[in-house]
Amino acid sequence: MASARTGKWGNGGHRDVRHPFLSMWRRALQALIAVGTAAGGAEAQTVTSPAPERVSLTVYRAPNGGGAIDLRYLAGFAMVTETRRVKLPRGPSVVRFEGVAEGIVPVSAVVDGLPGGTIEKNRDARLLSPASLIDGTLGRQVTLTRTDKATGRQVREEATVVAGPSPGVILRTKNGIEALRCSGLPERLTYDGVPAGLSAKPVLSVTTTSARAQTVTVKLSYLASGFDWRASYVATMAADGESFGLFAWLTLANGNPERFAGAEVQAVAGRLNRVATPVLERAVSALRLTCFPLGTTTSDLREQRFEEADEIVVTGSRMVAEPVTMYAPPAPTPEPAPPPEDLGDLKLYRVPERVTVAARAQKQVALLSQPRVPFARRYRRAVWPGQKIDAATTEIVLVLANQKDAGLGVPLPAGDTALYAPRGDQRLLLGLGTMKDRAVGETLRLAAGISSQVLVEQTVPGDNQAVLRVTNANRFAVTAELPIGGAGQKITGESQELRLVDGIATWTVIVPPGGQAELRYRY
């Protein structure tokens, strides 16, 4: 090795002239050590980035999500990408990114654009709250405002926080040691400032270094929980009764208390491999006090707990919106999103314009608009071999092909469906349902209500035999579709051949007006 004192290479005390680059390497190493020593000795300065200049959200659905969105239990997540301008000083610094999503997964955070790279990352979960104020003010002076028992006037005095916040707050005043709000009269504390380390916003901090003072553009990307999205389809029957207009909403849900203004939003459909990550809970709590009013801690009075919510609870952080499901047809029709893009085996839907995703709220944007989609009406009921059925109703199902020549031909993400029929100046709801992800070329079925005009009966005359009968009380012919048994089960019609639909033997028959049809089969 080279000698730090003489600068000679350890080969008998003589400089190795055969490798001139070694001298250059040695000088560079000494300079690097000098810089590191200077950086290590300097105190890191704190730089705060209060908010991003631009933000992008790529929202992934909950694996088994469906139905109405409940903002209190969102099992999806999002990739958040923020662009920020940061003014770095010369030397080491700690950059605080304020306003990141509360559900941030710290280990997923990637910071690009820092000239010195990222040396260390920290997620500060200590947010401003009544309890954290007490915890951060232990041993310090505060102002105690209380009601004077003799005059009824409010008086102020200096006090020192001795203990707290759980199970109570102990103060040292001019009268001695006291417990907050145990006098039975109103009392409150006033603080000179926010204790160090507390923030009203979630914070991700990184340690870095810079060779000179400069302003840089930093891109911060991270995963965050507390997001989800749904597709909601609205179909309106046409006057011909053979087609409908199809419109779809993309509903974004943000369960975080952070607002994302003017965000570029993408939604990803499909299922990806995901391992559950525990959510980092923020350290925010209300102040709960324990007192023994009008007695002492040795008295036999029952312990009481109370909390004056109007003074000490940060109510804004507890607001939770009720789940909302919207099925109302759009009027006027907004501009739909462009066709989806391939993301491996997933589909990426881009919202065409920037939108603001409010805190603990939902946002709806147009996803799809098709003015005319033809369909075929089916009366459907699944039956089981050997099951006795007596005049059972059928489901009205609209069957359509997801093909371009049939008015669609686009990947359709899973979601809720609502079917309307116009009657004069009103719209009447015909059916509600759900739909799974449907690729191009697949068949879709939309629920359109229950029919008591088309009924199904089944009798069992002998072993492994059954008789199915369909009656039609309508004034028009109908097509009945009856799946029998499960996938792969052997079902044999005595006089009719049954076709397989999704692996299930299915009897499809046209029933004339006021008529009936019958099938005898063995299983």
Side-chain angles (χ1 to χ4, degrees), residues 390-521:
D390 182 18
T393 58
T394 54
E395 298 177 0
I396 305 174
V397 178
L398 306 185
V399 181
L400 53 150
N402 188 12
Q403 298 176 355
K404 191 170 184 179
D405 57 2
L408 281 176
V410 293
L412 300 174
D416 301 324
T417 63
L419 178 64
Y420 292 88
R423 285 296 182 271
D425 57 351
Q426 297 182 347
R427 295 175 185 267
L428 302 180
L429 179 65
L430 296 183
L432 299 175
T434 59
M435 185 180 72
K436 297 181 179 180
D437 290 327
R438 293 297 181 183
V440 175
E442 286 194 285
T443 299
L444 286 76
R445 293 180 175 87
L446 299 184
I450 303 296
S451 174
S452 57
Q453 299 292 95
V454 180
L455 303 178
V456 175
E457 298 178 359
Q458 180 169 265
T459 58
V460 184
D463 294 339
N464 300 329
Q465 300 180 56
V467 178
L468 261 179
R469 184 177 294 106
V470 182
T471 59
N472 176 25
N474 289 301
R475 298 180 181 178
F476 50 85
V478 300
T479 301
E481 189 176 78
L482 287 83
I484 306 172
Q489 187 172 5
K490 185 177 181 180
I491 308 293
T492 305
E494 292 187 358
S495 58
Q496 302 180 44
E497 184 177 352
L498 305 179
R499 65 188 184 97
L500 293 180
V501 178
D502 298 329
I504 302 175
T506 303
W507 180 36
T508 303
V509 61
I510 298 177
V511 187
Q516 66 177 16
E518 184 177 280
L519 168 70
R520 292 179 176 271
Y521 69 91

Side-chain angles (χ1 to χ4, degrees), residues 5-340:
R5 182 173 61 84
T6 65
K8 295 180 179 180
W9 192 257
N11 59 349
H14 300 286
R15 191 179 303 273
D16 191 345
V17 296
R18 292 174 300 173
H19 301 284
F21 76 89
L22 294 176
S23 298
M24 298 173 57
W25 176 84
R26 182 167 56 253
R27 289 194 298 270
L29 179 61
Q30 290 171 348
L32 183 62
I33 294 174
V35 172
T37 303
E43 183 177 353
Q45 302 182 53
T46 300
V47 178
T48 299
S49 172
E53 293 185 348
R54 298 179 62 182
V55 63
S56 172
L57 295 176
T58 302
V59 185
Y60 294 78
R61 298 179 309 189
N64 300 310
I69 294 178
D70 189 341
L71 290 173
R72 296 168 296 181
Y73 309 102
L74 297 181
F77 64 97
M79 171 64 78
V80 184
T81 302
E82 302 177 351
T83 302
R84 299 176 181 240
R85 294 283 290 172
V86 179
K87 190 174 183 180
L88 296 175
R90 181 177 181 273
S93 61
V94 176
V95 183
R96 289 168 50 87
F97 297 106
E98 291 187 343
V100 296
E102 181 183 86
I104 181 174
V105 180
V107 295
S108 70
V110 177
V111 184
D112 294 322
L114 293 176
T118 301
I119 301 173
E120 181 180 308
K121 290 187 299 184
N122 294 284
R123 160 70 160 92
D124 190 352
R126 298 183 65 223
L127 296 189
L128 190 63
S129 71
S132 63
L133 275 174
I134 292 293
D135 184 59
T137 319
L138 290 177
R140 300 182 182 180
Q141 281 194 339
V142 294
T143 301
L144 174 62
T145 304
R146 58 177 22 160
T147 302
D148 185 85
K149 295 181 180 180
T151 63
R153 296 180 179 179
Q154 288 190 343
V155 294
R156 297 184 178 182
E157 60 178 292
E158 296 300 319
T160 301
V161 180
V162 177
S166 178
V169 178
I170 307 301
L171 304 173
R172 180 186 292 113
T173 67
K174 62 183 179 180
N175 298 321
I177 301 297
E178 303 181 38
L180 181 65
R181 295 203 185 131
C182 289
S183 65
L185 297 176
E187 297 175 343
R188 69 175 184 270
L189 299 180
T190 305
Y191 306 84
D192 293 335
V194 177
L198 289 183
S199 172
K201 305 175 183 178
V203 175
L204 177 74
S205 62
V206 300
T207 303
T208 187
T209 185
S210 178
R212 59 184 177 85
Q214 57 184 313
T215 300
V216 297
T217 299
V218 176
K219 182 173 289 186
L220 170 63
S221 301
Y222 56 88
L223 295 176
S225 59
F227 291 90
D228 208 346
W229 71 274
R230 296 282 192 279
S232 299
Y233 297 89
V234 179
T236 303
M237 297 282 290
D240 59 9
E242 297 179 354
S243 64
F244 55 67
L246 184 63
F247 186 87
W249 286 110
L250 172 61
T251 303
L252 301 167
N254 173 25
N256 292 269
E258 287 71 44
R259 176 176 177 265
F260 300 90
E264 298 176 1
V265 176
Q266 297 84 231
V268 176
R271 298 191 63 175
L272 68 161
N273 185 43
R274 180 184 176 191
V275 178
T277 302
V279 179
L280 180 64
E281 298 291 343
R282 60 175 186 161
V284 174
S285 60
L287 189 60
R288 303 187 183 279
L289 306 178
T290 301
C291 289
F292 299 86
L294 304 179
T296 67
T297 56
T298 59
S299 71
D300 57 357
L301 294 179
R302 185 170 58 185
E303 181 179 330
Q304 294 185 4
R305 295 176 181 266
F306 63 92
E307 173 185 345
E308 296 184 17
D310 57 334
E311 293 187 10
I312 62 176
V313 175
V314 184
T315 56
S317 66
R318 293 186 171 187
M319 295 174 61
V320 177
E322 293 298 324
V324 177
T325 302
M326 296 185 63
Y327 290 110
T333 301
E335 186 69 23

